[in-house]
């Protein structure tokens, strides 16, 4: 298994980190990346590449490439569509990521192997749906034996629009019915024919891809999405699955893009259990906590680490982030909250009183200096550590890249990292790291990362609190570039929470995830201005997630698209 | 070409898993295939290992046939005449723009093309296996097969601004389309043997094929209709779809004539690294033996593999640090020792695969190893330096008797001889003469 997330960024090169961090980058910088070629025309940038004045408001809402359902979306969609408990995508190849997310349309390519797996899945799903009595009763509501082709048609007329997430023309049903006719002409039943037709629906590009059409494919004039396309954007953003009946009804009524309707739908959708998808898919990738499932702490160093602790770590962060999604926790409180969720296993790991439950229980951390906020959660602290020890470097890099959108380049090749871990090395980990920063080629970048990571040294490589590292007393003082000095996690968290870069970075990450594409940082594009406005609004209005989502889905880039000139 | 395959030669081996079933498979092979040893199928395997090699323990000190096996090459003791050790080759297109040697090196592994550095705008080149598959792959049900042991982490950056697609795929069917590998043994097994029902009557099989073809016709019609309404970027995605459908149609068209043997139950899914690797090796041999495909690419992990090797011990301690971390060895002896141990273990597994191929008859007097050309290398040479010259390469198998095995061939670094030319040489043994990436020809020194 890949043991941890990061390269051993032990030594970094001079030059790449020599100036103010984030210099020259726009709000789309950092690991969210940019796909545009020129930077925005903004005059100045602060930490994390946050523009100090609003970027020019461009006119281009952009376009999202036709989007193949990724593994999570496929499993969720077939579950909603058929009621199946099969999860065919679990054995599909892992989706490639771009910008840290696996829902980037441009990167969701389709190989023959993948298509072959789709075909097998379609076959398995249809068999499951027609042989399971409960599932069948929802799918086939007429008498397929007596009414034969008529019943097959009725079934397809109800099923296909849901599968294609849009109304379906009668000619499309005619096309599917040829499969029913073929079967009956060969002496098979209508049931056999319907089986083929349903397989064809589940193998259709109209099902496998989220399609958005332009009235004129080569015209770059912006136009609003139709209601069904918008319903899919909302649904796959907030739920990672197909639209439900209410969304589809609003789309059919043509009211979905009304600001009040949109806001009401967002409120409804975020309150739904399906919004858990944001925790698993957005937060799991943004905070990298999905990796909790992949970590392998060194069993000799951490004999107490087991799958129960692993599960509790993941569950804590999940439950905590769920509060943020629901709007009861704000963005700054993600870092500074005075409560968390623990079960007995995790309470023991944290040195908290037992809660007498194997399920998570909300507990107050008022007056507790050791925990509170994601930087004190074992999931995050573990995925940013090496198997047997902490890495202030990795943790510092994590804060910069994930929370502040400031990417640090890797060390140049062929550096001598021997000094840090060699048997003859002396001093605390902090002293050893500081010693290698005496090398100027290392200092530029490590001077930014390491002092952040030191602030989390009170937590070992599986997130247990400590005041000593072996025989060395922990010194958790440090510096946040452009943000001042601090001592320990609490002060570090407060500095990050107050940083404009934190709000901007979050808005950028969510924006990329919502659209399934990276912001285009070009002058005539609406992205730079939109992301700036979203970040400003988020920061100035209490960092409430539901508000940010409402504003995001009301933005022109979410509601509109354009065609593209004929290419090469 | 399938006239030589006849119905009724299929045998069913119930119950046994793949691993157990393998030794029995030979008897299941159709007699006609064995009788045609003169035209035994030419096969290709591209085998990728992560994080480079500790070259000091890999590189033989002398060249030619009389070279002595080095510590890392020791597992090839009984296979010395079945392999070529090649050093000094360079894969210049693998050099990244700035950081990202692992992703750029992995994507260039058998494309010998320079990856466009981007999170989303994929642009590379066609890989050697896909070039071969386009030429000779239609002889089998699967033009090619992509296998691996690790699907890749579900989070995190893959390599310094390079999309994960570059870090996880060595096979590319076009400059923009990676061919994802299968890493679950059961899924891979089903992929190799799908659509094959040994209890079908001929009439049933024909009807089933007609039905499958009609489903594919139906979705093709939908795709064509949809494509007309799309801009060029979206059309490209639909092109990928239609290419796939056409390929599935070809497979259905081959019908049961494409399969030459079958085995019992699929292997169990496993997450254990060693079990999975060994099962994947078995599946490779099985797929080739059954002529389900003749072209395979395999990835022993992904770029920047952090695989741990707790089952290996060095100086009394288990290797619990990740491979990539260790590969940045900083010339520290403890790191180098661990690297040497990982390299040795890897070669032991690869040697076991070759030994298995050597044990499988391909007809009178020949084995599977005689009729395959295998390319093993990595994304970088030295894991610490990230260099793309002096690549560690093992060419294995006899390429139908064309490869000059049994030697160590060294190209002086100053000659900048290309990895792509080595790949072109391997493809030539299968009758494929198309260029690969920056190739300019074949390497006479590797041929008899």
């Amino acid at each position: 298994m890949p043991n941890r997330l990061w390269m051993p960024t032990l030594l970094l090169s001079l030059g790449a980190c020599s100036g103010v961090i984030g210099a020259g980058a726009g709000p789309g910088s950092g690991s969210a990346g940019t796909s545009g070629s020129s930077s925005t025309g903004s005059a100045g940038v602060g930490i994390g590449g946050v523009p100090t004045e609003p970027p020019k408001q461009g006119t281009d809402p952009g376009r999202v490439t036709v989007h193949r359902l990724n593994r999570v979306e496929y499993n969720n969609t077939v579950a909603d569509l058929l009621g199946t408990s099969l999860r065919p995508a679990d054995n599909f190849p892992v989706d490639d990521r771009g910008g840290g997310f696996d829902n980037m349309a441009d990167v969701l390519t389709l190989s023959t192997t993948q298509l072959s797996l789709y075909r097998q899945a379609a076959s398995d799903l249809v068999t499951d749906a027609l042989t399971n009595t409960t599932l069948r009763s929802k799918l086939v509501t007429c008498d397929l034996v007596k009414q034969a082709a008529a019943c097959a048609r009725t079934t397809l007329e109800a099923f296909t629009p849901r599968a294609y997430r849009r109304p379906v023309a009668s000619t499309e049903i005619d096309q599917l019915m040829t499969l029913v006719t073929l079967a009956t002409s060969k002496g098979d039943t209508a049931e056999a024919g319907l089986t083929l037709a349903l397989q064809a629906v589940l193998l259709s590009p109209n099902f496998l891809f989220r399609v958005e059409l332009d009235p004129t494919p080569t015209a770059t004039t912006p136009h609003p999405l139709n209601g069904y396309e918008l319903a899919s954007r909302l649904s796959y953003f907030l739920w990672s699955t197909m639209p439900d009946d209410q969304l589809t009804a609003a789309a059919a009524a043509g009211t979905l893009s009304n600001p009040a309707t949109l806001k009401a739908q967002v409120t409804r959708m975020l309150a739904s259990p399906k919004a858990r998808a944001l925790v698993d898919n957005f937060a799991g990738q943004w905070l990298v906590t999905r990796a909790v499932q992949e970590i392998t702490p060194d069993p000799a160093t951490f004999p107490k680490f087991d799958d129960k602790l692993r599960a509790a770590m993941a569950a804590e962060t999940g439950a905590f982030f769920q509060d943020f999604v629901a709007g009861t926790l704000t963005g700054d409180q993600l870092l500074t909250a005075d409560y968390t969720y623990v079960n007995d296993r995790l309470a023991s790991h944290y040195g908290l009183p037992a809660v007498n439950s194997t399920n998570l229980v909300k507990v107050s951390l008022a007056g507790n200096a050791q925990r509170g906020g994601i930087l004190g959660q074992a999931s995050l602290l573990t995925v940013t550590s090496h198997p047997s020890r902490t890495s202030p470097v990795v943790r510092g890099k994590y804060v910069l890249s994930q929370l502040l959108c400031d990417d640090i380049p890797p060390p140049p090749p062929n550096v001598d990292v021997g000094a840090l871990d060699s048997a003859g090395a002396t001093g605390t980990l902090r002293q050893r790291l500081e010693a290698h920063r005496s090398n100027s080629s290392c200092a530029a970048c490590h001077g930014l990362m390491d002092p952040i990571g030191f602030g989390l040294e009170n937590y070992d490589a599986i997130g247990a609190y400590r005041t000593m590292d072996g025989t060395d007393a922990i010194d958790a003082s440090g510096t946040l570039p452009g943000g001042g000095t601090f001592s320990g996690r609490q002060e570090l968290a407060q500095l990050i929470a107050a940083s404009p870069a934190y709000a901007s970075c979050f808005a950028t990450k969510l924006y990329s995830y919502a659209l399934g594409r990276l912001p285009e940082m070009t002058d005539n594009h609406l992205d730079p201005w939109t992301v700036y406005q979203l970040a400003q609004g988020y920061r100035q209005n209490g960092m409430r997630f539901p508000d940010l989502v409402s504003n995001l889905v009301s933005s022109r880039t979410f509601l509109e698209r354009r065609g593209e000139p004929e290419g090469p | 070409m399938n006239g030589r395959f006849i119905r009724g030669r299929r045998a069913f081996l119930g119950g046994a898993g793949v691993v157990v079933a393998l030794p029995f498979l030979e008897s299941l092979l159709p007699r006609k295939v064995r009788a045609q040893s003169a035209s035994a199928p030419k096969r290709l395997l591209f085998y990728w290992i992560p994080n480079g090699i500790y070259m000091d323990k890999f590189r033989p000190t002398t060249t030619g046939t009389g070279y002595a096996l080095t510590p890392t090459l020791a597992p090839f003791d009984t296979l010395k005449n079945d392999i070529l050790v090649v050093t000094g080759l360079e894969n210049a297109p693998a050099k990244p723009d700035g950081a990202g040697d692992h992703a750029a090196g992995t994507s260039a592994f058998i494309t010998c093309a320079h990856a466009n550095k981007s999170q989303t705008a994929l642009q590379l080149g066609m890989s050697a296996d896909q070039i071969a598959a386009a030429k000779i792959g239609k002889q089998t049900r699967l033009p090619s097969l992509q296998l691996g042991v690790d699907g890749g982490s579900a989070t995190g950056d893959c390599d310094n601004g390079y999309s994960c697609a570059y870090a996880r795929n060595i096979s590319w069917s076009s400059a923009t389309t990676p061919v994802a590998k299968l890493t679950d043994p059961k899924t891979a097994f089903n992929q190799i043997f799908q659509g094959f029902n040994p209890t079908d009557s001929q009439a049933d099989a024909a009807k089933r094929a007609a039905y499958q073809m009609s489903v594919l016709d139906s979705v093709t019609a939908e795709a064509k209709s949809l494509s007309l309404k799309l801009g060029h970027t979206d059309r490209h995605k639909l092109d990928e779809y239609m290419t796939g459908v056409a390929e599935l149609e070809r497979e259905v068209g081959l019908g049961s004539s494409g399969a030459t043997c079958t085995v019992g139950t699929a292997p169990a899914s496993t997450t254990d690294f060693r079990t999975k690797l060994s099962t994947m090796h078995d599946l490779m041999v099985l797929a080739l033996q059954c002529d389900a495909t003749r072209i395979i690419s395999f990835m022993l992990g992904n770029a920047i593999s952090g695989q741990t090797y707790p089952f290996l011990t060095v100086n009394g301690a288990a290797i619990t640090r990740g491979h990539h971390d260790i590969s940045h060895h900083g010339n520290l002896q403890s790191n180098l020792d661990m690297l040497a141990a990982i390299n040795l273990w890897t070669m032991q597994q690869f040697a076991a695969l070759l030994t298995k191929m050597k044990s499988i008859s391909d007809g009178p007097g020949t084995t599977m190893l005689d009729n395959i050309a295998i390319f093993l290398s990595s994304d970088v040479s030295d894991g610490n330096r990230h260099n793309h010259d002096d690549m560690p390469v093992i060419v294995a198998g006899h390429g139908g008797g064309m490869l000059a095995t049994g030697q160590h061939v060294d190209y002086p670094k100053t000659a900048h001889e290309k990895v792509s030319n080595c790949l072109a040489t391997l493809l030539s043994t299968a009758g494929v003469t198309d260029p690969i990436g920056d190739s300019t020809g074949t390497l006479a020194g590797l041929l008899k």
Side-chain angles (χ1 to χ4, degrees):
Chain A
M1 283 314 319
N3 59 338
R4 295 292 151 116
L5 306 169
W6 309 101
M7 314 176 55
T9 38
L10 292 171
L11 298 169
L12 304 172
S13 64
L14 182 68
C17 297
S18 56
V20 175
I21 65 171
S29 78
S31 57
T34 61
S35 50
S37 51
S38 68
S39 70
T40 66
S42 59
V45 288
I47 184 171
V50 182
T52 50
E53 57 187 73
K56 176 176 165 250
Q57 183 176 4
T59 55
D60 179 2
R63 47 171 298 287
V64 182
T65 302
V66 63
H67 179 124
R68 178 175 67 75
L69 300 184
N70 70 15
R71 295 203 304 176
V72 167
E73 292 163 346
Y74 185 93
N75 276 339
N76 290 347
T77 301
V78 296
D80 287 350
L81 189 61
L82 297 162
T84 185
S85 54
L86 298 180
R87 297 174 54 86
D90 286 355
N91 285 323
F92 291 173
V94 174
D95 298 308
D96 290 319
R97 285 189 306 279
F101 294 111
D102 62 8
N103 69 340
M104 294 290 132
D106 279 325
V107 188
L108 289 166
T109 53
L110 177 58
S111 67
T112 301
T113 305
Q114 179 69 62
L115 196 67
S116 178
L117 294 169
Y118 279 142
R119 180 176 61 169
Q120 184 62 50
S123 172
D124 295 344
L125 287 165
V126 172
T127 301
D128 183 51
L130 290 177
T131 54
N132 177 308
T133 314
T134 311
L135 303 190
R136 185 186 174 100
S137 66
K138 290 177 189 157
L139 183 64
V140 185
T141 55
C142 40
D143 190 333
L144 197 52
V145 177
K146 284 185 188 158
Q147 298 168 27
C151 177
R153 186 166 189 111
T154 303
T155 304
L156 290 168
E157 281 172 348
F159 178 73
T160 313
R162 295 183 65 230
Y164 292 177
R165 301 169 287 266
R166 60 164 171 79
V168 168
S170 62
T171 50
E172 292 178 288
I173 302 293
D174 294 344
Q175 168 75 36
L176 292 166
M177 282 300 292
T178 61
L179 294 164
V180 179
T181 311
L182 173 73
T184 51
S185 74
K186 285 185 182 290
D188 279 326
T189 58
E191 170 100 12
L194 180 63
T195 302
L196 295 178
L198 291 171
Q199 287 176 0
V201 171
L202 293 180
L203 192 59
S204 164
N206 290 303
F207 170 70
L208 297 173
F209 291 99
R210 288 164 50 196
V211 177
E212 295 173 354
L213 296 178
D214 304 301
T216 309
T218 52
T220 56
T221 318
H223 64 88
L225 299 175
N226 73 35
Y228 299 98
E229 293 165 347
L230 180 56
S232 275
R233 278 202 184 186
L234 284 168
S235 189
Y236 283 94
F237 168 28
L238 300 178
W239 289 347
S240 301
T241 190
M242 61 182 277
D244 68 353
D245 291 345
Q246 288 196 46
L247 272 173
T248 305
T255 57
L256 193 50
S257 58
N258 295 349
T261 310
L262 257 185
K263 196 168 169 48
Q265 286 292 345
V266 166
T267 302
R268 180 183 75 87
M269 293 177 75
L270 290 181
S272 160
K274 291 184 185 178
R276 173 75 197 187
L278 285 166
V279 176
D280 296 334
N281 307 323
F282 171 68
Q285 296 186 86
W286 169 47
L287 296 174
V288 200
T289 43
R290 264 190 187 176
V292 169
Q293 306 305 332
E294 304 168 6
I295 51 174
T296 48
D298 178 20
T301 315
F302 300 106
K304 287 184 177 171
F305 183 87
D306 59 15
D307 282 344
K308 284 184 179 164
L309 182 56
R310 181 197 304 274
M313 286 178 176
E316 179 198 19
T317 303
F320 187 70
F321 195 84
Q322 187 107 48
D323 287 349
F324 178 56
V325 169
T328 59
L329 184 74
T330 60
D332 51 334
Q333 290 168 340
L334 266 184
L335 290 157
T336 62
D338 63 353
Y339 75 91
T340 194
Y341 293 88
V342 294
N343 61 8
D344 281 335
R345 183 75 184 84
L346 196 58
S348 149
H349 187 57
Y350 285 175
L352 294 171
V355 293
N356 301 315
S357 172
T358 53
N359 295 321
L360 293 185
V361 175
K362 186 173 178 177
V363 294
S364 169
L365 296 170
N368 185 328
Q370 297 183 10
R371 303 287 167 182
I374 51 172
L375 293 180
Q377 294 186 0
S379 59
L380 188 151
L381 292 159
T382 306
V383 302
T384 54
S385 294
H386 292 309
S388 57
R389 66 162 173 87
T390 62
S391 170
V393 180
V394 172
R395 287 178 177 174
K397 184 175 189 287
Y398 175 95
V399 166
L400 288 169
S401 68
Q402 302 309 112
L403 303 184
L404 302 172
C405 286
D406 238 305
D407 270 358
I408 298 285
N414 205 22
V415 289
D416 183 359
V417 298
L420 196 59
D421 272 334
S422 68
T426 57
T428 65
L429 181 59
R430 185 187 188 100
Q431 287 166 342
R432 281 179 276 150
L433 280 167
E434 282 173 351
H436 90 255
R437 292 211 306 277
S438 65
N439 178 337
S440 64
S441 71
C442 306
C445 293
H446 281 273
L448 300 178
M449 295 185 295
D450 305 3
I452 298 174
F454 290 141
L456 300 173
E457 272 295 276
N458 282 128
Y459 305 89
D460 72 15
I462 58 170
Y465 192 81
R466 62 181 185 176
T467 55
M468 304 286 287
D469 180 10
T471 56
D472 303 325
I474 300 280
D475 172 1
S477 63
T479 316
L480 184 68
T485 59
F486 61 84
S487 178
R489 177 196 54 81
Q490 272 186 313
E491 290 183 16
L492 170 62
Q494 282 157 6
L495 286 180
I496 296 169
S499 160
Y502 171 60
S504 174
C505 182
F506 183 77
T508 307
K509 300 270 187 190
L510 190 68
Y511 188 78
S512 306
Y513 178 83
L515 288 167
R517 65 169 175 82
L518 298 178
E520 294 272 352
M521 304 315 288
T522 51
D523 282 339
N524 65 340
H525 207 285
L526 262 167
D527 282 348
W529 181 83
T530 306
V531 172
Y532 178 84
Q533 296 296 338
L534 290 173
Q536 290 287 106
Y538 175 62
R539 183 151 184 265
Q540 289 166 6
N541 296 303
M543 300 181 92
R544 293 189 68 252
F545 183 79
D547 293 346
L548 177 59
V549 169
S550 281
N551 290 335
L552 200 162
V553 304
S554 308
S555 70
R556 281 186 55 202
T557 49
F558 197 86
L559 296 170
E560 298 179 10
R561 62 173 277 132
R562 62 161 168 81
E564 61 178 339
E566 203 53 37
Chain B
M1 71 119 231
N2 283 297
R4 65 191 166 93
F5 293 106
I6 54 164
R7 291 192 58 77
R9 58 180 158 53
R10 295 169 291 173
F12 184 70
L13 186 66
V18 167
V19 181
V20 187
L22 264 175
F24 304 106
L25 279 172
E26 191 183 345
S27 63
L28 298 175
L29 283 177
R31 291 173 203 282
K32 285 199 174 184
V33 170
R34 285 202 257 167
Q36 291 186 350
S37 60
S39 60
K42 300 297 184 292
R43 307 178 178 106
L44 295 164
L45 167 63
F46 304 88
Y47 195 110
W48 178 92
I49 63 173
N51 299 322
I53 287 262
Y54 176 30
M55 293 299 283
D56 287 2
K57 296 236 173 184
F58 174 87
R59 187 199 322 276
T61 51
T62 61
T63 59
T65 53
Y67 79 95
L69 290 170
T70 55
T72 297
L73 295 172
F76 301 101
D77 186 32
T78 61
L79 297 160
K80 198 176 169 193
N81 288 326
D82 300 304
I83 66 168
L84 268 156
V85 178
V86 186
T87 51
L89 293 176
E90 178 172 343
N91 199 2
K95 290 176 195 159
D97 299 311
D101 284 282
H102 291 291
T106 300
S107 56
F109 175 65
I110 50 173
T111 62
C112 302
H114 186 72
N116 177 45
K117 186 169 192 174
S118 169
Q119 292 281 1
T120 54
L122 306 181
Q123 187 71 38
L124 185 66
M126 204 165 166
S127 55
D129 64 319
Q130 295 303 300
I131 290 168
K135 284 283 171 185
I136 60 172
K138 296 205 180 341
Q139 296 168 343
T140 53
R141 197 176 66 76
L142 301 174
S144 66
L145 179 64
Q146 291 70 36
L147 298 175
V149 290
D150 182 5
S153 170
T155 62
D157 187 20
C158 274
D159 194 2
N160 293 292
Y162 283 91
S163 166
C164 293
Y166 294 127
R168 293 172 176 174
N169 299 292
I170 54 173
S171 292
W172 289 66
S173 60
S174 76
T176 54
T177 308
V179 189
K181 60 192 181 292
L182 299 171
T183 56
D184 173 56
K186 187 177 171 188
T187 307
F189 178 93
N190 290 337
Q191 193 68 15
I192 295 167
F193 294 105
Q194 71 169 341
F196 185 70
N197 183 349
T199 60
D200 259 4
S201 74
Q202 192 154 3
D204 285 348
K207 187 161 77 178
R208 214 154 51 88
Y211 283 170
Q212 286 182 357
M213 201 65 96
S214 299
V215 168
L216 295 171
D217 286 347
S218 175
V219 299
T220 302
E222 288 194 40
K224 281 182 178 162
S225 156
L226 176 58
S227 196
L228 291 175
K229 303 175 197 162
L230 300 177
H232 74 93
T233 304
D234 289 346
R235 266 205 318 276
H236 180 72
K237 292 280 175 191
L238 263 289
D239 288 346
E240 289 179 353
Y241 178 90
M242 285 192 271
T243 301
V245 173
E247 181 48 44
L248 295 185
E249 284 180 338
R250 192 192 63 81
E251 286 176 24
V252 173
L254 278 180
S256 52
S257 63
T260 62
C261 65
T262 187
V263 291
T265 52
S269 293
T270 175
T271 54
D272 179 75
F273 174 59
R274 283 180 291 176
T275 307
K276 195 184 252 193
L277 176 58
S278 144
T279 307
M280 285 299 181
H281 279 176
D282 288 344
L283 285 175
M284 285 184 215
V285 173
L286 196 57
L288 296 173
Q289 190 176 17
C290 293
D291 211 23
T293 190
R294 295 175 187 177
I295 301 165
I296 299 179
S297 73
F298 176 75
M299 293 184 76
L300 186 64
N302 294 297
I304 317 192
S305 167
Q307 181 69 47
T308 58
Y309 293 79
F311 49 87
L312 298 178
T313 54
V314 172
N315 304 322
I319 301 180
T320 56
R321 281 171 56 207
H323 184 184
H324 174 256
D325 193 13
I326 298 166
S327 76
H328 281 264
H329 52 73
N331 294 312
L332 206 63
Q333 196 56 48
S334 59
N335 285 339
L336 294 171
D337 290 346
M338 284 189 277
L339 269 188
I342 292 170
N343 291 165
L344 175 62
W345 184 85
T346 305
M347 291 306 163
Q348 285 166 342
Q349 311 315 305
F350 182 62
L353 172 65
L354 301 186
T355 302
K356 189 168 284 169
M357 290 180 174
K358 198 173 178 176
S359 75
I360 289 177
S361 169
D362 224 10
T366 71
T367 71
M368 182 182 286
L369 195 57
D370 291 327
N371 295 312
I372 191 168
I374 305 175
F375 175 81
L376 176 143
S377 187
S378 188
D379 47 317
V380 294
S381 174
D382 177 89
N384 201 46
R385 289 170 54 216
H386 282 180
N387 54 312
H388 302 280
D389 62 356
D390 193 23
M391 293 298 291
V393 172
I394 295 178
V395 171
H398 296 267
M402 289 175 68
L403 291 168
T405 50
Q407 339 169 47
H408 168 217
V409 178
D410 180 65
Y411 294 91
K413 277 169 70 173
T414 49
H416 301 287
E417 189 52 81
K418 297 169 179 188
V419 166
S420 56
N421 288 340
C422 177
L423 291 166
T425 310
L426 267 65
L427 261 57
S428 75
T429 69
V432 179
T433 54
D434 301 46
I436 299 144
D438 64 347
S439 71
T440 52
T442 56
L443 301 178
L446 306 185
L447 292 168
K448 276 184 183 166

